[in-house]
Amino acid sequence: MIPRAFHPRPMKLMMVVGLTALLAGCGSSSFRVDYPSVPAETTAGWRVADVRVAVPETLVVSEANVFIPKADIVWHGDPEGDRKAQVADIIRQGVLAGARGLSGGQKVTMDVTLERFHALTPRAFYRSPAWGGVNSIVFNVTVRDASGAVLIGPERIEADMPAIVAADNPPAEVFSVPGGQSRATLIAHVAAVTRAWLNLGPDQRVQIRRVGG
């Protein structure tokens, strides 16, 4: 007879409880959408000429397929390649889309510096409990006029968002995206947060209570 302490079923239960505790412990930091809203009267005269995204060399990239890699950039939603360039493109497209409503006469450039882009790994997608994942995105934006003079910024934008995990029973097509989150979804989220920051759309500021990330 197998001793109760080593019975497979109790061991499986212990693994699940342990995983939940791990995710809760490592992901218990504050997740949120937050930004200093730019007054509408300030943005009314702007029209975006360009968005430039910088990814500092100091940011650490991880390809490790573990629950919560210790890194600044974690992204598995594109084929293997330059992760910094891939996430920079997501941020650039999102900010451009969010600023599309600016139609004033003053051309401005938005210089974006990425601070964090931490999406789910495939392992976290498949093994996390329901409603247990967060995509953590943080960047800073400085707005400049045509001469390069700073109009506002740098302003820190936190654009975290709840992630989809397998336990949420998502549509079948989600399973084809490593990490469970498509580029299009992330771009749309960054766009919505950017619009809100520029006072062009509904306020997106919210606290996110989930584990993981």
Side-chain angles (χ1 to χ4, degrees), residues 148-163:
V150 174
L151 299 176
I152 62 167
E155 300 207 329
R156 191 170 190 262
I157 298 177
E158 297 176 70
D160 299 336
M161 67 176 292

Side-chain angles (χ1 to χ4, degrees), residues 55-190:
V55 181
E57 289 296 323
T58 53
L59 295 189
V60 176
V61 179
S62 175
E63 293 286 346
N65 188 17
V66 297
F67 285 108
I68 305 176
K70 293 182 179 179
D72 305 297
I73 297 175
V74 178
W75 173 239
H76 293 264
D78 280 308
E80 291 185 12
D82 186 339
R83 297 303 190 195
K84 289 184 176 181
Q86 291 169 357
V87 300
D89 183 63
I90 291 171
I91 297 298
R92 183 175 187 275
Q93 289 192 52
V95 172
L96 271 172
R100 196 164 289 142
L102 298 176
S103 56
Q106 183 181 21
K107 291 184 178 180
V108 299
T109 296
M110 293 185 176
D111 285 329
V112 181
T113 302
L114 185 66
E115 187 175 318
R116 179 176 170 86
F117 191 108
H118 203 291
L120 296 190
T121 64
R123 184 176 179 85
F125 170 70
Y126 283 108
R127 299 290 297 278
S128 294
W131 307 106
V134 173
N135 295 312
S136 183
I137 300 172
V138 183
F139 54 93
N140 297 272
V141 185
T142 299
V143 181
R144 304 177 186 274
D145 66 15
S147 71
V150 174
L151 299 176
I152 62 167
E155 300 207 329
R156 191 170 190 262
I157 298 177
E158 297 176 70
D160 299 336
M161 67 176 292
I164 298 169
V165 297
D168 296 329
N169 295 313
E173 60 267 21
V174 171
F175 286 88
S176 67
V177 181
Q181 202 75 62
S182 69
R183 287 173 57 92
T185 302
L186 289 166
I187 289 169
H189 175 70
V190 172

